[in-house]
Amino acid sequence: MIDAQQISELIDGKRIGDGRYRGKCPVHVKDHFYVTDGDRGTMMFCHSGATFSELCEALGIKTTDCFPGEYTPPPYNPQDDMTAITLAAVDLRAGKTLSESDISFVQKAKARLKKNNQWSRAVEFAKGC
């Protein structure tokens, strides 16, 4: 079963209490998403109106992953992190300033790329954009 903390890590969420997190909705990309460890599974709520199924789909998980049983995270896809690094590099080259949450996300993406021996590939990819 995937718990609230694991979902929070997928969305770069913030802990707001014991087993409770908030962050940007993976469907609406707005800061209106809450995830909580419940008695019978992991509960998710979007104040912008995304359904539980839409939230699971956007997170790349099955609805059944939120309930007791074994959860296996999806395999790492470096392309997602490379895209984030490239977009940040393009914005910085254009003279834009990154927000704190963007900087945090890029730092985590960089760490994941390094951990999976993909950092040099990402740097070369970003240079070409």
Side-chain angles (χ1 to χ4, degrees):
M1 178 177 107
I2 188 169
D3 63 18
Q5 181 179 352
Q6 291 170 306
I7 290 175
S8 172
E9 290 168 1
L10 294 175
I11 61 159
D12 199 29
K14 305 290 182 223
R15 185 174 186 264
I16 58 172
D18 192 30
R20 297 176 25 215
Y21 301 84
R22 63 176 273 251
K24 290 185 179 181
C25 171
V27 175
H28 297 105
V29 195
K30 292 182 181 176
D31 197 23
H32 296 284
F33 177 74
Y34 293 85
V35 59
T36 304
D37 291 326
D39 293 338
R40 291 179 276 160
T42 305
M43 301 180 296
M44 296 184 283
F45 183 75
C46 166
H47 283 277
S48 295
T51 66
F52 186 77
S53 295
E54 290 172 328
L55 293 168
C56 288
E57 184 177 333
L59 291 165
I61 62 174
K62 298 177 287 202
T63 56
T64 55
D65 291 335
C66 295
F67 303 99
E70 189 63 34
Y71 168 73
T72 304
Y76 175 69
N77 181 358
Q79 190 62 44
D80 296 337
D81 286 335
M82 285 197 212
T83 300
I85 297 288
T86 301
L87 291 172
V90 168
D91 281 352
L92 290 171
R93 277 191 224 128
K96 296 180 181 176
T97 303
L98 299 179
S99 69
E100 285 184 36
S101 64
D102 287 342
I103 291 169
S104 174
F105 186 84
V106 167
Q107 289 171 335
K108 289 176 184 177
K110 179 181 177 181
R112 286 189 297 268
L113 287 164
K114 283 188 169 190
K115 178 181 175 186
N116 289 280
N117 298 314
Q118 297 290 318
W119 177 242
S120 59
R121 185 172 161 226
V123 169
E124 290 303 313
F125 182 78
K127 284 180 183 177
C129 295

